[in-house]
Amino acid sequence: MNCDRRNFIKGLAGSLLSLKMPTVFSGTLPDAFWSYDQSRRIATVVAESALHTARLYGCQFSDIRICWILKERIISRENRIEELGGSFESGMGIRVLFEGTWGFASSNLLDPNEAADKTKEAVELAKQSLKLNSRRVELEKLPQIQGQWHQDVLMDPFEVPLEEKTSFLLDLNDKAIKAGADFCRSFFLFHKELRIYASSVGSWIEQTFLRTYPKFIVTVVDKKEGKFESRSSFEPPKSGGLEIIEKKALESEVVEATHQAKEKLHAKPVVPGIKDLVLHPTNLWLTIHETIGHSTELDRVMGLESNYAGTSFLKVDQLGNFDFASPIVTIRADRNQPGGLASVGYDDDGIPSSWSNFLIIENGILKNFQMAIGQAHWIGKEKSNGCSYAQSYNFFPIQRMPNISLVPSEKKEAT
C-alpha cells in the first residue's frame, strides 16, 4: 500500500500506543507533573519523613532531591521515522551525613513510608562505609535557601504537535539527499524536569529544566571504491526549548555537511610530517572541558575520583602560582550562561548559582578549583563554589563542573 509522507506522519500518532515506550504527549502526563500544588504536597510529606528519620538516627546533615522527569526522542532516517518514544519517571534520592561519612539511597516510589525506609538504608550504608573512611567530611556553614528557579522557555517541545517535529527532521534529511548525501539520520532529544530539593538546614528549592538536542549525521558513499565518509552537525545540546534551534542555519549546515563529506571522501591521505594544528570551536569546547574542566575538579585533584576522566595532574599547593596556560588565557565558570547545560538557579547541594561565578584560570594562572560542599576545608577555603550535580534522583550528587568558558582576550596578538 502506498502512503505519502503527510499521511504517514499523521498516522504516527495513532500507532504510538503499540510502541514499547510510553507516549510522551502533554495530554498523557500525570496531573502532578506541572501541578505545583500537588507536587508540593507530595514533596512536603516525603521530605519531612526523610529528614525527620535522619534526625532520629543522629545524622549531622541530610537532604533529598525529588524529581519528575519527562523525556522524548524522535529518530529519523531519509524519508522515514525509525524510532519514536519517550518516558516519564519520578523518584527521590536521599543523602545523609553520619559521623563524617556519606550514605545514600533512592527510590522511584514517592511515599513517606518509603522515604523513611530509604533514609534508614542510607544511614546503614554510611555506618558500613564509616569503617573504611579515613577522611571524614567536614561541612562548612550552609545557607538556608527558600527559592525557585524556572528555565526560560519560549517554545516547549512537548507542546508542539508531533507532525511539526517529525516534518522538521524529514525535511532536513530531504535537503541532505538532494545535496548528494546517500544517507541522512537526524533526531530530537528532549528532557524536561521538575526538581524539588529540601535539606536539614531548612532549605526548600524548586527548579524546572528543559534540555533540547537536535542532531543530524550525513553519509556519502563511493560505491566503486567501497568507501564512505560522514559528517555530523555541530549544534550541541542546550538548555531551552525549540527556540534554541535556528532552522535555516541547520538546513544550511546539512547541505554544507554533505559537500564536506564528499570532500573528505575524495581527499588525499595526509602525508606524515610537522603540521600547523587549527582547532575548530566545536573541538575547542571539548579540549577545554577535558583538559581544564576535569583537571580542576577538586575531588580528582585529591585522588578521590578517577572515573572516566582519571584523576588530575594538578596539586593543591599549585593554586595561585601554577602557569596553566598562556597569559592570554582566562577560563570562567558560571551557571547563568544562556543555553548552558549547567545553567541553573541552584546546584544539587542547594547552593545558589551566584557562588558558581568564578575564574578557574586568570591570565594563565590557576586561580580556583571546583568544589562541592564538604570540600572547601581541604584547601583552606570557607565555602564551596556551587559545583555539585546529580544526574537524576537515583544518583549521588558529586562534584561536577558548571559551564566552563574561554574568556575573550583583550590582547589582539598571539602569545
Side-chain angles (χ1 to χ4, degrees):
M1 178 179 67
N2 294 326
C3 179
D4 62 30
R5 195 179 79 175
R6 181 175 297 276
N7 289 328
F8 169 72
I9 294 173
K10 288 182 178 180
L12 283 174
S15 64
L16 276 171
L17 293 176
S18 65
L19 295 175
K20 293 182 180 179
M21 298 296 294
T23 59
V24 290
F25 297 113
S26 57
T28 67
L29 280 177
D31 292 337
F33 190 80
W34 293 122
S35 172
Y36 283 112
D37 289 339
Q38 186 170 350
S39 296
R40 284 194 188 103
R41 286 196 295 269
I42 295 172
T44 298
V45 295
V46 167
E48 286 180 348
S49 177
L51 300 179
H52 175 68
T53 303
R55 284 193 297 270
L56 291 178
Y57 278 79
C59 294
Q60 301 157 260
F61 172 80
S62 60
D63 61 11
I64 182 171
R65 285 153 212 80
I66 305 170
C67 305
W68 290 261
I69 303 167
L70 181 65
K71 297 180 181 180
E72 182 182 62
R73 67 179 181 276
I74 306 172
I75 302 175
S76 73
R77 177 173 173 177
E78 287 84 68
N79 61 353
R80 63 186 183 275
I81 300 298
E82 287 200 325
E83 187 174 348
L84 178 65
S87 63
F88 172 80
E89 61 178 327
S90 58
M92 58 183 169
I94 301 164
R95 179 174 62 167
V96 301
L97 185 63
F98 182 83
E99 294 187 15
T101 302
W102 290 117
F104 179 79
S106 65
S107 174
N108 61 1
L109 178 61
L110 294 179
D111 174 82
N113 293 327
E114 179 76 354
D117 290 342
K118 289 300 174 182
T119 304
K120 295 173 186 177
E121 285 186 23
V123 174
E124 183 60 30
L125 177 61
K127 288 181 177 179
Q128 296 301 318
S129 300
L130 182 61
K131 303 171 185 178
L132 304 173
N133 184 12
S134 60
R135 186 190 296 272
R136 297 292 189 265
V137 176
E138 297 179 28
L139 288 185
E140 61 268 34
K141 184 178 180 180
L142 299 174
Q144 183 187 81
I145 302 291
Q146 302 289 319
Q148 293 186 3
W149 183 87
H150 302 294
Q151 179 78 57
D152 290 330
V153 177
L154 299 178
M155 189 180 298
D156 188 335
F158 294 95
E159 297 178 0
V160 173
L162 176 64
E163 183 177 358
E164 289 186 26
K165 292 177 285 191
T166 53
S167 292
F168 184 103
L169 295 177
L170 294 174
D171 287 343
L172 200 63
N173 298 350
D174 185 58
K175 290 185 181 300
I177 298 301
K178 288 179 178 178
D182 292 280
F183 305 102
C184 184
R185 258 175 105 83
S186 59
F187 64 74
F188 282 138
L189 299 179
F190 305 114
H191 178 113
K192 187 176 185 178
E193 180 173 348
L194 165 62
R195 184 172 297 199
I196 296 179
Y197 172 89
S199 76
S200 57
V201 300
S203 289
W204 181 273
I205 298 168
E206 301 171 11
Q207 300 191 89
T208 55
F209 317 101
L210 180 57
R211 308 288 187 253
T212 295
Y213 187 19
K215 191 175 183 65
F216 68 74
I217 306 169
V218 298
T219 302
V220 294
V221 179
D222 185 333
K223 296 179 181 178
K224 292 183 179 180
E225 297 291 333
K227 299 186 300 183
F228 68 91
E229 287 289 350
S230 299
R231 207 275 245 175
S232 301
S233 55
F234 292 147
E235 187 72 15
K238 294 180 180 179
S239 61
L242 283 172
E243 72 275 0
I244 72 161
I245 302 173
E246 298 182 16
K247 184 176 180 180
K248 291 184 178 180
L250 201 60
E251 290 176 340
S252 176
E253 187 191 355
V254 78
V255 174
E256 180 185 34
T258 302
H259 295 325
Q260 290 177 345
K262 290 179 180 179
E263 291 175 1
K264 285 174 62 181
L265 184 63
H266 301 293
K268 296 180 180 179
V270 175
V271 178
I274 298 175
K275 309 288 183 181
D276 290 329
L277 179 63
V278 179
L279 293 180
H280 191 278
T282 55
N283 181 272
L284 186 59
W285 74 262
L286 182 61
T287 304
I288 294 171
H289 173 94
E290 299 294 349
T291 61
I292 298 173
H294 282 310
S295 69
T296 56
E297 292 173 332
L298 186 56
D299 55 353
R300 296 186 188 275
V301 174
M302 302 296 292
L304 300 176
E305 172 64 55
S306 60
N307 187 42
Y308 191 67
T311 54
S312 175
F313 59 88
L314 296 172
K315 305 297 180 185
V316 171
D317 60 9
Q318 293 176 319
L319 193 61
N321 56 55
F322 179 64
D323 290 329
F324 200 115
S326 164
I328 65 172
V329 174
T330 293
I331 299 292
R332 179 173 64 94
D334 74 82
R335 287 194 179 277
N336 53 23
Q337 188 173 154
L341 290 179
S343 294
V344 294
Y346 307 86
D347 78 343
D348 281 310
D349 285 337
I351 302 300
S353 61
S354 58
W355 291 25
S356 305
N357 294 325
F358 60 94
L359 296 179
I360 297 177
I361 298 173
E362 184 176 17
N363 299 325
I365 304 297
L366 176 66
K367 289 295 184 179
N368 278 292
F369 291 119
Q370 306 161 55
M371 298 174 287
I373 60 172
Q375 297 179 350
H377 70 279
W378 294 346
I379 56 174
K381 300 286 187 179
E382 294 183 357
K383 63 180 184 179
S384 80
N385 45 24
C387 295
S388 175
Y389 175 67
Q391 185 170 325
S392 188
Y393 68 86
N394 55 345
F395 284 76
F396 182 89
I398 64 172
Q399 194 280 295
R400 194 71 167 86
M401 73 182 77
N403 301 316
I404 305 292
S405 305
L406 177 66
V407 178
S409 174
E410 296 179 357
K411 297 181 178 180
K412 295 183 179 181
E413 71 274 11
T415 300

